[in-house]
Amino acid sequence: MGKPLKYAVFGSGSWATAIVKMLCENLNEVGWYMRSVYIKEHLIREEHNPSYLSSVEFNIEQLKLSNDINEMANYADVLIFVIPSAFIYTELEKLNIDITNKTIVSAIKGIVPETGLLVGEHFNEHYKVPFESIAVIAGPCHAEEVALERLSYLTISCWDAKKAQQIANSLSSDYIKTKISDDVIGIEYGVMLKNIYAIAAGIAHGLGYGDNFQSILMSNAIREMKRFIKKVHKMKRNINNSAYLGDLLVTGYSTFSRNRMFGNMIGKGYTVKSAQMEMNMVAEGYYATKSAYFINENNDKKAETPIINAVYEILYSNKNPKKVFKKLTDKLD
């Protein structure tokens, strides 16, 4: 048997903190990169993240903490990136070591805005990481429920089934069940799109639409997701699997969903900027909406995406949410 693989998590938000917690259930040491010196020093002193999931206590001797992205990338064999998509490009520009022989895992729910690429595609094109060494983590799984050790499910997708299973095993526990998949691109798009639909669900709630309409919205959303993904990456997949439909449902309905919360504030009359400032968290769906809209617009054969279009009009064209959703209701069935 070879030496055990070393894992490192890049990011310090709630989902990054949850993934570190999962890894600590199985590994003797977990690397953890964060930009914030304050968070690192607080972790060393108080043994918890001061800003996210502060109820989760860590054995500090189990963690290898660093504010140097190159030190952490050099340390680990498996690099799990959980930096919001809006900031990943800038962070990766700090890398000056070769990562072509590393396994890259994306737990990022969006597209790299500067390149218009999925995170996996970005690592392949700009850092020459082979697609066989790129994996994606999908839910349904909220960080807050991981903190509470409530039963949750993850799908690990990688073209190399052995690597997918190794990553799945490192995250599994009594409260985390895992499965593997080979639909890397489809799942990565699904992870991105479900945040847009969660914003739509939040807007609907903020406007006063009830549960009956929410069910219609989610029913249409999964069909829209299927059409979109089929246009960009055609392969045989069951869109009703947990990595697609399950993740969509929990993000669209849960009170823990920051994208739903963001949409709810927009529906209640907040501007985009004021909602972002009050949340003090990144709603990935905001950036994903623009990316998905233009990916579809630039596709030779566009998918029918009335929900994405509606959210785009509200967030980026400053259209009135009430009027946009009134028109949207006539396009759903």
Side-chain angles (χ1 to χ4, degrees), residues 20 25 121 134 237:
V20 173
E25 301 281 3
E121 292 173 334
I134 294 171
R237 62 175 62 84

Side-chain angles (χ1 to χ4, degrees), residues 111-180:
I111 278 179
V112 181
E114 290 85 351
T115 61
L117 298 171
L118 293 169
V119 175
E121 292 173 334
H122 184 80
F123 273 104
N124 174 258
E125 186 168 315
H126 292 270
Y127 296 91
K128 309 306 177 189
V129 179
F131 276 117
E132 293 77 13
S133 297
I134 294 171
V136 176
I137 297 177
C141 189
H142 275 308
E144 291 81 1
E145 293 205 349
V146 173
L148 296 168
E149 299 190 359
R150 291 178 178 169
L151 183 61
S152 302
Y153 292 71
L154 291 176
T155 298
I156 316 304
S157 184
C158 184
W159 288 357
D160 185 327
K162 183 179 178 182
K163 287 180 180 176
Q165 194 59 60
Q166 287 174 333
I167 297 163
N169 292 344
S170 73
L171 295 165
S172 300
S173 67
D174 290 343
Y175 58 91
I176 301 291
K177 294 187 181 295
T178 59
K179 61 183 287 189
I180 65 172

Side-chain angles (χ1 to χ4, degrees), residues 24-222:
C24 284
E25 301 281 3
N26 298 298
L27 306 176
N28 293 326
E29 184 176 69
V30 178
W32 195 355
Y33 163 76
M34 57 203 64
R35 286 188 305 168
S36 171
V37 174
Y38 165 70
I39 291 178
K40 177 188 171 185
E41 291 178 348
H42 187 97
L43 267 161
I44 292 170
R45 188 174 64 252
E46 304 293 340
E47 301 188 337
H48 71 264
N49 187 331
S51 303
Y52 302 94
L53 304 189
S54 56
S55 64
V56 176
E57 294 185 358
F58 293 97
N59 174 3
I60 202 65
E61 294 180 1
Q62 207 175 353
L63 300 178
K64 181 178 176 63
L65 303 172
S66 179
N67 298 128
D68 184 340
I69 194 170
N70 286 290
E71 177 189 12
M72 198 51 61
N74 189 56
Y75 157 81
D77 305 297
V78 181
L79 316 183
I80 303 178
F81 286 88
V82 208
I83 298 164
S85 61
F87 311 121
I88 186 66
Y89 185 88
T90 304
E91 281 299 296
L92 291 178
E93 281 194 315
K94 300 174 186 176
L95 276 176
N96 55 32
I97 68 165
D98 182 10
I99 59 169
T100 54
N101 63 338
K102 309 285 186 178
T103 298
I104 303 298
V105 185
S106 172
I108 299 169
K109 298 156 184 175
I111 278 179
V112 181
E114 290 85 351
T115 61
L117 298 171
L118 293 169
V119 175
E121 292 173 334
H122 184 80
F123 273 104
N124 174 258
E125 186 168 315
H126 292 270
Y127 296 91
K128 309 306 177 189
V129 179
F131 276 117
E132 293 77 13
S133 297
I134 294 171
V136 176
I137 297 177
C141 189
H142 275 308
E144 291 81 1
E145 293 205 349
V146 173
L148 296 168
E149 299 190 359
R150 291 178 178 169
L151 183 61
S152 302
Y153 292 71
L154 291 176
T155 298
I156 316 304
S157 184
C158 184
W159 288 357
D160 185 327
K162 183 179 178 182
K163 287 180 180 176
Q165 194 59 60
Q166 287 174 333
I167 297 163
N169 292 344
S170 73
L171 295 165
S172 300
S173 67
D174 290 343
Y175 58 91
I176 301 291
K177 294 187 181 295
T178 59
K179 61 183 287 189
I180 65 172
S181 165
D182 63 353
D183 185 18
V184 182
I185 294 175
I187 285 178
E188 197 165 5
Y189 271 114
V191 165
M192 176 190 80
L193 293 170
K194 53 103 175 185
N195 286 329
I196 304 171
Y197 300 130
I199 290 177
I203 293 172
H205 186 265
L207 289 170
Y209 287 89
D211 293 344
N212 293 338
F213 177 74
Q214 292 281 5
S215 68
I216 294 298
L217 184 66
M218 289 294 101
S219 173
N220 279 264
I222 192 62

Side-chain angles (χ1 to χ4, degrees), residues 213 217 306-307 310 323-332:
F213 177 74
L217 184 66
I307 303 173
K323 290 181 180 178
V324 172
F325 262 68
K326 179 66 175 69
K327 291 180 181 177
L328 178 63
T329 59
D330 295 328
K331 298 175 183 176
L332 307 181

